[in-house]
Amino acid sequence: MANYTEKPKKKKKTVSRDIALDKLDFYDAPAPKRQPRQDKIKGRPKNIFVRCVQAVFPQSSDSSTEKLRKLVMIAAVLVFVITLFVLFKTMFGAKKGTEINNNVRVDAGVERDEVIHMDLENPPEIILTAPVSTAAGEEPVPEETYETEEIDVTPVVNTPLNVNFDNLISKNPDTRAWIKITGMGLDDVVVQGDDNEEYLTKDFYGDESVSGTIFSHYKNKWDGTDENIILFGHNMYNGDAFASVRYYVPYDASREPIRIYKKCPTVMLATPQQGSQTYKIFAGILVNTQKEYGEVFKYASKTSFRNKADFNNFIINVMDRSWFFTDVDITYGDQLLTLSTCYWPLGEEVDTRWVLFARKVRPGESEYVDTSLATRNYNAKLFDYFYARIGGEWYGSNWDKKKLLSYSGE
């Protein structure tokens, strides 16, 4: 029998499933995890956003000084953003307030007069730097001359107010009057709320407003018996509300420091009951409202007077503080008009007011005022903090008390 040797079977080749599947179209090998790209500085992420975050916000690896620096920078940026927001909100609110005032004039049937352009710069931040330290009766000698300065101080001529109060009252029952200073842009409605806060932030139609509305003291009666009508309004940068009142602050860089008064010495006030009346301005004062800064002259609480002595004492206090003197006389029985607005020559942290005082033209009296006799007072009575900041002191009364006809020197 022949020897027969069985050939060994060939071993089948096995193919890895992984390898096989790796070649199929429907299979994608998992992508390797991507590492953050690094720039040339070892260990610093290439991503610009990450780098910005690390540069701005404190990191655990930062030194204490670096952490403090970043925190200060963050705080500064936040303050800037908030300030910018408030600024834009104020500007938008002021623009809206101007539109509202124009609508009110339409409802009142009042056409706005042309505003006098006095080419007057805003009053400086700090006033009376030198004059306040001069002795009573002396005027400071200006360092510059103004021979080339041409100033027209011819007083304006008023036209009686004709206001449609019926229409205004139908829009807002709080309507009390209409006030105007010819040529100065002040030509607005006057309202009265239940307190002295309501119309600080509310327009004539009842909507929220940064400009508010000119309003009277809530204690005024508006029945013809008020001895002192007190009006409040914002000092708006765009000229609305009582911005015109602020321009009566003497401008000492001019050859005519009180040229606004000399140009516009009167205020007009119309009411539904009494029609159009004219008031002669006789004083302008700066008032402190915070006890920590010195005396607080409470001008805004005097809507009436107990007697002649009380009236005389009030006028004496006003005239001692007035930054200018006029030829207007005053007597017990005159109806006063007080215009109050915010003004901060010492900075907004010192809450001061600029206040104008006027008295109604008497029956049969001309509304003409001889403004050539008006003078600048460099010895106005102020308050402790003002003197501490600016220097000087008050040297006592230096106005002509004969102008107070009801005062006999008692």
Side-chain angles (χ1 to χ4, degrees), residues 195-379:
D195 53 41
N196 290 338
E197 303 288 335
E198 180 181 355
Y199 279 100
L200 283 171
T201 56
K202 190 168 80 171
D203 68 26
F204 178 76
Y205 300 105
D207 297 322
E208 185 178 353
S209 168
V210 297
S211 303
T213 310
I214 296 171
F215 63 94
S216 83
H217 197 293
Y218 73 94
K219 288 185 178 180
N220 281 129
K221 300 176 182 178
W222 290 102
D223 60 358
T225 64
D226 286 307
E227 296 176 272
N228 185 15
I229 295 174
I230 305 175
L231 305 183
F232 305 92
H234 288 304
N235 177 7
M236 299 299 295
Y237 78 93
N238 64 347
D240 285 345
F242 268 2
S244 296
V245 173
R246 186 278 310 258
Y247 278 98
Y248 282 83
V249 175
Y251 186 59
D252 290 324
S254 170
R255 182 165 51 84
E256 288 282 3
I258 53 174
R259 58 182 176 173
I260 291 295
Y261 169 77
K262 289 186 174 183
K263 190 74 177 176
C264 306
T266 58
V267 182
M268 301 180 70
L269 188 74
T271 65
Q273 297 80 17
Q274 296 182 302
S276 182
Q277 303 287 330
T278 301
Y279 291 72
K280 297 181 177 182
I281 298 171
F282 62 85
I285 69 176
L286 183 70
V287 181
N288 168 44
T289 66
Q290 298 166 288
K291 290 183 179 179
E292 60 265 35
Y293 294 118
E295 181 210 37
V296 176
F297 177 46
K298 297 183 179 180
Y299 70 95
S301 62
K302 282 288 187 180
T303 57
S304 61
F305 305 96
R306 295 187 302 275
N307 48 43
K308 181 171 71 172
D310 187 33
F311 175 86
N312 288 342
N313 184 62
F314 179 75
I315 296 299
I316 290 171
N317 275 289
V318 168
M319 295 305 300
D320 283 347
R321 292 162 175 79
S322 183
W323 288 27
F324 55 84
F325 298 141
T326 76
D327 191 43
V328 178
D329 57 25
I330 312 104
T331 191
Y332 179 55
D334 285 337
Q335 186 182 66
L336 304 183
L337 177 64
T338 302
L339 313 180
S340 175
T341 193
C342 295
Y343 179 55
W344 305 296
L346 301 174
E348 293 189 19
E349 69 277 6
V350 185
D351 193 23
T352 49
R353 302 285 184 272
W354 174 252
V355 190
L356 286 182
F357 295 88
R359 61 98 170 150
K360 185 190 288 188
V361 171
R362 300 165 190 142
E365 180 190 16
S366 169
E367 68 173 43
Y368 171 76
V369 178
D370 188 353
T371 58
S372 67
L373 299 176
T375 59
R376 171 78 165 91
N377 178 26
Y378 291 102
N379 183 45

